[in-house]
Amino acid sequence: VQTGFGRTGSMFSCEQIDVKPDILIFAKGIANGLPLAGFASSKALGDQCIVGTQGGTYAGNAVACASATEVIRIFRDEKILDNVVEQGQYLWGKVEDMCLRNPSFPIQEVRGRGLMIGVQFRDIWTEGCGAVAAASSNTESAVPAGFAAEVVS
C-alpha cells in the first residue's frame, strides 16, 4: 500500500524487482486520498475466495471510484511516472550533494526508489550535531540519545 501508485517510479514497486506477488493490495493513492482500496490476484487464487468476504472500511463508493478513474487517466496522460523518476533523481542528487559538501551533515546513507526516499542518520549524538543536541536539552519529547532511522531498501 505504501509503495503503490507511482511513489517509486512505477505503479507498483514490485514491478522494479524480480517479485510476482500472490496478492497485490492497493489503497490511498488510487483515489487521491479518498477512501478506496482493493486487491488483485491470479484467477486461481481469486476463485478460492468466498464472494462478499473481502469488505472493509475502504470499500468502493461512487465518488472514490470516480476519483480513481481520474487518477489513472492523469497518470497516463500526464506521464506522472516519468516525472516521479526525474524528480526522485533530482532529490536524491541534492541530498547526496549536501552530504559530500558538508562532512558533518548527519546523513549516513540514502536509500529508496523514485520519490520514496529514506535516509539513515549517523549517530548524531556522538558525532556532535549541535542543533539536535541543543533541541534535546530543551524538551523531554526530543529525539532520544542513540536514535537512528532505518529504511529498508
Side-chain angles (χ1 to χ4, degrees):
V1 171
Q2 294 296 328
T3 62
F5 273 78
R7 292 180 175 107
T8 63
S10 60
M11 286 305 278
F12 301 101
S13 187
C14 63
E15 295 174 292
Q16 298 177 33
I17 56 178
D18 191 21
V19 171
K20 184 177 179 185
D22 294 323
I23 298 175
L24 183 65
I25 299 170
F26 49 93
K28 300 182 185 208
I30 187 175
N32 201 33
L34 293 178
L36 185 65
F39 74 95
S41 70
S42 67
K43 181 171 177 2
L45 189 56
D47 286 344
Q48 296 177 38
C49 296
I50 300 169
V51 175
T53 61
Q54 292 78 38
T57 58
Y58 278 21
N61 65 66
V63 174
C65 290
S67 179
T69 300
E70 189 65 8
V71 165
I72 293 167
R73 184 198 62 77
I74 289 169
F75 262 79
R76 182 192 62 230
D77 294 353
E78 297 183 17
K79 301 187 183 333
I80 297 296
L81 297 176
D82 293 341
N83 188 50
V84 169
V85 170
E86 181 181 328
Q87 295 303 315
Q89 290 170 345
Y90 175 80
L91 176 60
W92 192 296
K94 289 294 185 183
V95 172
E96 286 183 332
D97 186 50
M98 285 189 294
C99 294
L100 291 174
R101 287 186 294 121
N102 183 359
S104 65
F105 201 68
I107 293 179
Q108 178 176 326
E109 185 178 0
V110 181
R111 295 189 294 259
R113 291 186 176 92
L115 284 170
M116 185 168 247
I117 295 175
V119 296
Q120 180 174 349
F121 291 95
R122 289 183 283 150
D123 187 350
I124 54 182
W125 295 95
T126 60
E127 295 183 27
C129 181
V132 175
S136 70
S137 66
N138 295 327
T139 178
E140 291 182 20
S141 63
V143 178
F147 172 82
E150 292 290 334
V151 178
V152 177
S153 61

